Amino acid sequence: MRTTNHLIGMLNFLTFLLSIPILGGGIWLSTRANNTDCMRFLQWPVIVIGVAIMIVSIAGFAGACYRNTLLMYLYLWVMFLIIVVLIGFVIFAYVVTDKGSGRSVPNRAYKDYYLPDYSGWLKDRVASDEYWRKISSCIRDSGACSNSGRVVGGYPESAEMYYLRKLSSIESGCCKPPSECGFTYVNETTWNPVSSGMMVNNRDCIRWSNDQEQRCYNCNSCKAGVLASLRKSWRKVSVINIVVLIILIIVYVVACAAFRNNRRMDNHEQYGETRMEKSRPSWIRF
């Protein structure tokens, strides 16, 4: 029994340590929400799960080390709920980020992003007028586009150099017009449009503005760029969550064994002795 309790104690200490990356992932999403992705509600489930695992790990460690049956009983129920919630969150994260990616552009190192390539709840959330006003304002205030300019030899970089840059999805979607519009590059913030008769059927070509306060912040390509950035961020955090989930399941199985041992000791049963054997009258012999 001691061996099992010591094992669950060590595993819970390991789980406590593993809750730190989950909490860190939530904080990382929070920083990106303020500076890059601009979706401030997405980090809270990760932070709450990380804090919950941290608290429950401490309870499980104490329950195993001090053989507190009530604490272990509560620990098992809460841990079970956390595992269920974490499974649901991982599935949800992969479902809402399942579709969508950038399209390669000939003779360009960066990719272009199109809103129809995405679907589902996350797309509807981002593309809604209510949320997009907040998101576009956040992107504008974060300086994502103003910080993308480069100077070479005292002059803005040439078009050839710009085309070889690997722009982020937000830089590509929000800070320049779509490549299919055929605009002429002047610098990172100024693009000369072609004649209206040559424009393709893409309303983002009309939405683009050289006004530094407008750019392509109202373009569908900008919304798609935000979705691509969110997809990348969520996938990184989901990998950490999956690893922690596997370890939590292992810890839960061992914790169940420790709980049964504690119950056996509380009932004054010897290890390996069942209640049926203990309650058998002493005068019955085989």
Side-chain angles (χ1 to χ4, degrees):
M1 193 275 296
R2 288 183 178 179
T3 302
T4 305
N5 282 342
H6 288 166
L7 178 60
I8 188 62
M10 288 187 293
L11 287 176
N12 273 284
F13 180 71
L14 176 61
T15 307
F16 174 82
L17 295 179
L18 289 175
S19 68
I20 298 177
I22 293 184
L23 190 58
I27 296 174
W28 177 69
L29 286 176
S30 179
T31 58
R32 290 185 64 84
N34 292 328
N35 300 317
T36 307
D37 297 335
C38 291
M39 292 287 283
R40 292 185 171 87
F41 66 93
L42 296 176
Q43 73 275 9
W44 291 114
V46 181
I47 293 176
V48 170
I49 291 174
V51 172
I53 293 175
M54 185 176 293
I55 295 174
V56 172
S57 297
I58 296 174
F61 182 83
C65 292
Y66 295 100
R67 203 168 60 81
N68 188 313
T69 303
L70 177 60
L71 194 58
M72 286 294 295
Y73 183 78
L74 295 175
Y75 162 79
L76 289 175
W77 273 107
V78 176
M79 180 63 78
F80 175 77
L81 293 176
I82 289 178
I83 291 175
V84 172
V85 170
L86 191 55
I87 291 175
F89 180 77
V90 170
I91 294 175
F92 172 77
Y94 272 92
V95 168
V96 299
T97 60
D98 180 52
K99 295 181 180 180
S101 60
R103 298 184 189 179
S104 298
V105 181
N107 302 319
R108 304 288 189 271
Y110 53 77
K111 295 182 179 181
D112 277 357
Y113 297 86
Y114 295 84
L115 191 60
D117 292 344
Y118 299 84
S119 62
W121 173 85
L122 191 59
K123 173 194 172 183
D124 296 338
R125 186 90 169 184
V126 170
S128 66
D129 293 338
E130 177 186 358
Y131 277 96
W132 185 247
R133 283 194 296 269
K134 299 177 182 178
I135 295 172
S136 60
S137 177
C138 171
I139 295 174
R140 186 184 300 107
D141 294 341
S142 68
C145 294
S146 59
N147 296 331
S148 64
R150 292 182 180 179
V151 177
V152 179
Y155 297 94
E157 63 181 346
S158 63
E160 291 75 15
M161 296 178 64
Y162 181 83
Y163 295 152
L164 293 177
R165 287 175 57 179
K166 292 185 177 181
L167 303 176
S168 69
S169 59
I170 291 181
E171 288 175 339
S172 177
C174 305
C175 305
K176 68 172 187 60
S179 300
E180 66 179 3
C181 296
F183 285 19
T184 302
Y185 172 90
V186 178
N187 54 48
E188 295 86 352
T189 60
T190 304
W191 298 73
N192 290 333
V194 296
S195 62
S196 59
M198 297 178 59
M199 284 191 181
V200 296
N201 187 24
N202 187 336
R203 295 189 61 84
D204 284 351
C205 300
I206 302 175
R207 295 186 181 107
W208 166 262
S209 172
N210 286 328
D211 183 348
Q212 303 306 299
E213 294 297 317
Q214 298 296 326
R215 303 212 188 188
C216 218
Y217 295 132
N218 291 320
C219 298
N220 286 336
S221 63
C222 189
K223 298 175 183 178
V226 171
L227 287 168
S229 181
L230 287 171
R231 183 178 186 272
K232 184 178 180 180
S233 299
W234 272 39
R235 287 300 176 94
K236 288 181 179 180
V237 175
S238 293
V239 171
I240 299 176
N241 289 342
I242 290 174
V243 173
V244 174
L245 177 61
I246 295 173
I247 297 176
L248 282 180
I249 293 175
I250 295 174
V251 170
Y252 185 78
V253 171
V254 179
C256 289
F259 180 71
R260 287 195 297 268
N261 284 340
N262 289 344
R263 291 288 297 272
R264 185 182 296 113
M265 293 297 294
D266 290 341
N267 292 323
H268 307 291
E269 297 176 11
Q270 297 179 2
Y271 184 79
E273 182 184 25
T274 64
R275 288 187 176 87
M276 183 64 71
E277 292 173 342
K278 188 171 188 266
S279 61
R280 185 178 59 198
S282 59
W283 48 270
I284 296 179
R285 295 288 186 273
F286 294 95

